[in-house]
Amino acid sequence: QVQLVESGGGLVQAGGSLRLSCVVFGSIFSINDMGWYRRAPGQQRELVGTITSGRRTTYADSVTGRFSISRDNTNNMVYLQMNNLKPEDTAVYYCNAKIRPWIGDRWADYWGQGTQVTVSS
């Protein structure tokens, strides 16, 4: 029953900003690390950034200083604030979380369906 749903994508001009949100639904026992990934047209999926349960963040070199990850543990949400967007940021963005469902005792990675971000030049 666990699912992740992203929102906040859209079309923005270069230099603009967007904030992506991801909410985790379902019967959740615990959520550990979370992260954002993206897949540009014709490219492999790449890591954008991660955030631990203790809110320690890590970012890809390409987005460091421009993107910021945060999380709301009360509401089971993770955010990606994207500033100074560039055309090369155009991609489908996916959220990821390591989750242990209430039923069972297995940690596993869960993924959202993705949200499109398009940056025009």
Side-chain angles (χ1 to χ4, degrees), residues 18-24 31-36 48-59 67-82 95-96:
L18 284 174
R19 190 178 82 154
L20 306 184
S21 300
C22 175
V23 61
V24 180
I31 302 175
N32 203 321
D33 294 355
M34 308 180 80
W36 287 93
V48 176
T50 60
I51 182 166
T52 69
S53 59
R55 299 183 181 181
R56 179 188 299 160
T57 57
T58 302
Y59 301 97
F67 291 11
S68 179
I69 296 175
S70 60
R71 64 190 290 169
D72 180 349
N73 293 330
T74 299
N75 295 302
N76 295 334
M77 297 192 71
V78 61
Y79 304 93
L80 180 66
Q81 178 67 47
M82 304 184 293
C95 64
N96 163 263

Side-chain angles (χ1 to χ4, degrees), residues 6-66:
E6 302 98 335
S7 63
L11 175 64
V12 64
Q13 63 183 7
S17 298
L18 284 174
R19 190 178 82 154
L20 306 184
S21 300
C22 175
V23 61
V24 180
F25 292 106
S27 182
I28 306 298
F29 180 79
S30 185
I31 302 175
N32 203 321
D33 294 355
M34 308 180 80
W36 287 93
Y37 296 75
R38 67 186 182 186
R39 185 179 180 89
Q43 302 294 319
Q44 292 275 357
R45 184 192 67 185
E46 66 175 350
L47 173 68
V48 176
T50 60
I51 182 166
T52 69
S53 59
R55 299 183 181 181
R56 179 188 299 160
T57 57
T58 302
Y59 301 97
D61 289 342
S62 59
V63 306
T64 296
R66 299 188 298 120

Side-chain angles (χ1 to χ4, degrees), residues 69-121:
I69 296 175
S70 60
R71 64 190 290 169
D72 180 349
N73 293 330
T74 299
N75 295 302
N76 295 334
M77 297 192 71
V78 61
Y79 304 93
L80 180 66
Q81 178 67 47
M82 304 184 293
N83 298 322
N84 192 24
L85 283 160
K86 304 175 181 179
E88 51 263 44
D89 294 319
T90 295
V92 177
Y93 285 71
Y94 302 89
C95 64
N96 163 263
K98 186 177 182 180
I99 299 171
R100 192 173 91 180
W102 185 258
I103 300 176
D105 192 27
R106 303 185 188 92
W107 288 93
D109 285 327
Y110 290 81
W111 295 86
Q113 290 295 110
T115 184
Q116 176 71 49
V117 172
T118 303
V119 184
S120 64
S121 58

